[in-house]
Amino acid sequence: MQRPNIIFIVADDLGYADLGCYGGREAGFGAVSPVLDGLAAHGLRLTQGYANSPVCSPTRFALATARYQYRLRGAAEEPINSKTRGTPLGARLGLPPDIPTVASLLRDAGYRTALIGKWHLGYPPHFGPLRSGYEEYFGPMSGGVDYFTHLSSAGQHDLWTGEQEHHDEGYLTDLLSQRSVDFVQRMASGDAPFFLSLHYTAPHWPWETRDDRATAEALGAGIAHLAGGNIHQYQRMIHHMDEGIGWVVEALRATGQLDNTLIVFTSDNGGERFSDNWPLVGGKMDLTEGGIRVPWIAHWPAVIAPGRHSTQHCMSMDWSATVLDAAGVQAPPSHALDGVSLMPVLRDEGAEFARRLYWRMKHRGQRALRDGDWKYLRVDGVDYLFNLAGDERERANQALQAPGHLAALREDWEAWNAGMPAIPEDATVSLVYTAGDMPQR
């Protein structure tokens, strides 16, 4: 079969139940995510899929490398702070250009590659998309950026074309969507398949829809927007992203590329202030389910039968391995993947397999292991054991009822952790808001 085009779409801080196809409520204006709901209805929707981390840049290290992010120093930051740009510390915190990436491996195999959207893996001149396999880049380098002024939380302009700062007028979500449409249209006339990473900043703060330019001007560098926002604006921000994805899908259809394009959609971590994570508890920065379980949608008419759903356990780096497998590309032996290809699941409804998943965080000393229905969790020095088959909300601690199983899972996690570099003492945790800003559960 002809090698597929691949579009890997990542939302930013999207909650597990924010999309209609994951049980999300309609907004006052109607369906929040009709395009994504349609892709799920005509493809594959996974209900037990995870992000590699409950915070953005660590997950992006895993997406880029198809490996546990803990193997690289920059991913120990929770997350990389925009204030490190241009500092000696910033020269250490990023994705090293000599590390193989999904983009570099696909580029070397003849794919055309582009990242349109958020990078958050270090700043030029030491790091950047063009140094890690992407031939084209348009977007912000930092973790958060205003949708209109394109300022980072450090107050610096942060919109780039390649490695040059680029000033552009417009709502960032739409700019990313329009650039992606242009890329798809340009690739239709070529003789090579393409890999497009479309990494939206939506629905990450600041809470701005297309109609909120005045809010942007008033905020300046205060883009964390702690005193603003509401669920109505938040749903509209998701809808703007969904519309843009629709533009990209239509460009694929109009150019005859849709049937043999693998579209993957997910979020970099669980939801934040205004997200809907039902029935899960927690959110961004938490290793409870609400911080790491995220939507996963795959659409590929040539391979995936419509209307499917799966309970396959997986995480971000597995989808990176899947992309390489779909393209027929292997990583070099020196870059053994931690991710496991899900191509059998994409092809066959009965191909699910056992998959143990591990996490750790410097923030609150968190650790987690998902093994079948069971989850081992540590937060603030307390160990918990949950059976997620009947308690996805993680409210019924089984630690006293099954101490042997808790001990076995803890030992398993510790053996895995011993094979990873230790968390550096100087790794930083950057919290945007605390209990002083809003009450915590």
Side-chain angles (χ1 to χ4, degrees):
M1 189 176 75
Q2 180 185 2
R3 292 190 296 174
N5 301 314
I6 301 161
I7 300 180
F8 206 113
I9 307 172
V10 183
D12 200 346
D13 294 357
L14 185 75
Y16 181 73
D18 279 333
L19 304 181
C21 57
Y22 280 85
R25 301 170 177 86
E26 283 200 352
F29 56 79
V32 173
S33 54
V35 173
L36 286 166
D37 297 347
L39 290 176
H42 292 92
L44 175 65
R45 179 177 64 90
L46 290 97
T47 57
Q48 302 286 319
Y50 292 87
N52 262 69
S53 171
V55 65
C56 34
S57 59
T59 290
R60 293 168 195 275
F61 277 94
L63 280 171
T65 63
R67 287 157 59 99
Y68 275 113
Q69 65 271 23
Y70 315 107
R71 300 186 183 280
L72 294 173
R73 170 61 186 88
E77 300 295 296
E78 296 175 358
I80 293 177
N81 195 306
S82 61
K83 294 178 182 178
T84 63
R85 176 179 169 184
T87 68
L89 178 60
R92 299 172 48 217
L93 302 179
L95 178 57
D98 62 333
I99 298 293
T101 65
V102 173
S104 69
L105 293 170
L106 290 174
R107 177 201 61 197
D108 294 348
Y111 271 72
R112 302 294 307 277
T113 60
L115 170 59
I116 297 175
K118 179 172 171 175
W119 167 245
H120 206 186
L121 294 174
Y123 295 97
H126 308 285
F127 312 105
L130 301 189
R131 298 164 188 262
S132 289
Y134 291 106
E135 298 172 318
E136 299 183 27
Y137 173 60
F138 173 79
M141 294 274 188
S142 64
V145 64
D146 189 275
Y147 289 87
F148 292 97
T149 66
H150 312 143
L151 294 179
S152 73
S153 56
Q156 297 171 298
H157 177 264
D158 186 25
L159 187 61
W160 304 70
T161 296
E163 293 194 351
Q164 301 298 316
E165 287 197 58
H166 175 87
H167 290 266
D168 206 339
E169 283 293 317
Y171 184 67
L172 184 59
T173 301
D174 291 344
L175 294 178
L176 300 181
S177 299
Q178 290 158 359
R179 288 271 181 156
S180 298
V181 168
D182 174 72
F183 180 79
V184 166
Q185 291 172 336
R186 285 190 285 114
M187 292 301 102
S189 60
D191 57 359
F194 67 80
F195 173 58
L196 169 61
S197 295
L198 173 49
H199 293 183
Y200 286 100
T201 61
H204 191 286
W205 44 262
W207 316 112
E208 297 168 358
T209 73
R210 290 186 189 126
D211 299 324
D212 293 321
R213 180 181 289 273
T215 300
E217 299 296 339
L219 284 175
I223 65 170
H225 207 179
L226 291 170
N230 54 58
I231 58 172
H232 310 294
Q233 287 177 301
Y234 178 78
Q235 288 179 313
R236 182 68 75 175
M237 292 168 71
I238 297 171
H239 188 65
H240 293 333
M241 174 181 67
D242 187 79
E243 287 181 310
I245 294 170
W247 302 341
V248 176
V249 172
E250 182 54 38
L252 289 168
R253 182 179 289 111
T255 55
Q257 300 179 91
L258 182 60
D259 282 355
N260 198 36
T261 296
L262 168 59
I263 302 173
V264 178
F265 175 87
T266 191
S267 178
D268 59 350
N269 47 253
E272 218 222 40
R273 274 163 270 178
F274 298 110
S275 304
D276 186 353
N277 284 329
W278 181 262
L280 313 177
V281 162
K284 184 176 182 178
M285 299 298 291
D286 301 324
L287 287 183
T288 46
E289 292 290 285
I292 49 177
R293 202 192 302 184
V294 292
W296 282 103
I297 298 169
H299 181 274
W300 186 4
V303 171
I304 301 173
R308 290 182 51 204
H309 80 275
S310 172
T311 59
Q312 174 66 50
H313 297 175
C314 58
M315 64 198 317
S316 309
M317 63 186 183
D318 295 335
W319 286 94
S320 302
T322 303
V323 163
L324 293 174
D325 191 10
V329 174
Q330 292 186 332
S334 59
H335 188 76
L337 304 185
D338 296 315
V340 177
S341 173
L342 301 171
M343 278 301 298
V345 179
L346 270 58
R347 291 193 179 104
D348 182 2
E349 193 163 353
E352 294 184 8
F353 57 90
R355 178 81 171 105
R356 287 187 176 185
L357 308 173
Y358 302 83
W359 295 266
R360 73 183 190 195
M361 287 283 286
K362 184 170 186 176
H363 178 52
R364 303 179 71 186
Q366 295 177 88
R367 58 169 71 173
L369 161 60
R370 176 81 194 260
D371 179 24
D373 291 338
W374 292 94
K375 180 176 177 182
Y376 162 54
L377 175 69
R378 175 179 289 182
V379 183
D380 296 328
V382 179
D383 283 350
Y384 305 91
L385 179 67
F386 298 109
N387 190 308
L388 299 182
D391 180 30
E392 290 184 303
R393 202 160 169 78
E394 296 170 290
R395 300 293 85 181
N397 185 13
Q398 303 296 309
L400 295 180
Q401 282 67 34
H405 197 52
L406 172 62
L409 290 181
R410 179 169 52 227
E411 182 179 347
D412 185 356
W413 185 93
E414 289 173 349
W416 165 81
N417 187 56
M420 295 290 157
I423 298 176
E425 289 292 331
D426 63 349
T428 61
V429 177
S430 298
L431 297 176
V432 174
Y433 62 90
T434 67
D437 300 298
M438 63 193 75
Q440 306 299 296
R441 183 176 178 85

